Amino acid sequence: MASSAGLRELQRDLENKANDLSKLQKDISKNHQIRKKYTIQLGENELVLKELDLLNEDANVYKLIGPVLVKQDMAEANANVKKRIEYISAELKRLDSTLQDLEDKQNSKKETILKLQQKIQSLQAGKGKA
């Protein structure tokens, strides 16, 4: 009788760990979506920077603010785009770090779940023989 209570406890523990794993997987998926968005923005900003480099110093540069195009200084435009690239790159590094941490936690949870499943199976096998 004591082993069946222990078995139920192990199964409850397994269920909790599986829920934790599911939450981790959702976090990883969310991280991938955010990372994809930042990667696209980085590509766009690098393209803008290349385009700005092609222009003459006296060329007119406009920035879209709401529905209006506002004239902007070339040096200011360059500085803004470079700052944006720095920011996005820093965010991507932070996301990579977070992703690595989440994946490590996920692997740890998977190992724990596997060990619990094996324990439950061995208890059930022992119970079946009795």
Side-chain angles (χ1 to χ4, degrees):
M1 202 70 174
S3 67
S4 90
L7 185 62
R8 277 197 298 273
E9 185 63 35
L10 283 174
Q11 287 172 333
R12 226 177 283 124
D13 194 26
L14 178 64
E15 195 175 306
N16 289 338
K17 299 248 187 286
N19 288 338
D20 291 345
L21 179 63
S22 177
K23 288 176 189 170
L24 278 172
Q25 289 171 334
K26 285 179 186 173
D27 289 345
I28 289 172
S29 175
K30 195 184 302 182
N31 183 296
H32 280 296
Q33 289 173 343
I34 294 169
R35 193 177 189 300
K36 183 178 179 182
K37 183 181 82 170
Y38 276 125
T39 303
I40 290 169
Q41 286 180 356
L42 181 65
E44 289 171 351
N45 280 285
E46 287 173 343
L47 188 63
V48 169
L49 191 62
K50 285 180 186 174
E51 291 292 322
L52 287 174
D53 288 342
L54 294 176
L55 296 175
N56 296 328
E57 283 298 316
D58 59 345
N60 290 330
V61 178
Y62 296 90
K63 180 177 184 176
L64 185 64
I65 300 177
V68 180
L69 283 175
V70 178
K71 194 170 184 176
Q72 192 175 29
D73 181 49
M74 181 70 129
E76 185 183 346
N78 254 332
N80 285 343
V81 173
K82 286 178 183 174
K83 271 186 185 163
R84 218 173 301 130
I85 288 173
E86 283 177 33
Y87 171 77
I88 293 170
S89 297
E91 280 299 300
L92 283 171
K93 284 180 185 173
R94 186 187 62 79
L95 286 169
D96 285 342
S97 166
T98 304
L99 179 63
Q100 185 61 48
D101 185 44
L102 287 170
E103 286 177 342
D104 291 344
K105 286 180 183 177
Q106 177 184 357
N107 291 335
S108 173
K109 284 280 185 213
K110 282 182 179 179
E111 287 177 26
T112 306
I113 288 173
L114 188 62
K115 288 176 185 173
L116 268 174
Q117 286 175 331
Q118 290 171 344
K119 203 175 208 180
I120 289 171
Q121 286 174 347
S122 68
L123 275 176
Q124 287 175 335
K127 191 176 177 183
K129 291 178 183 174

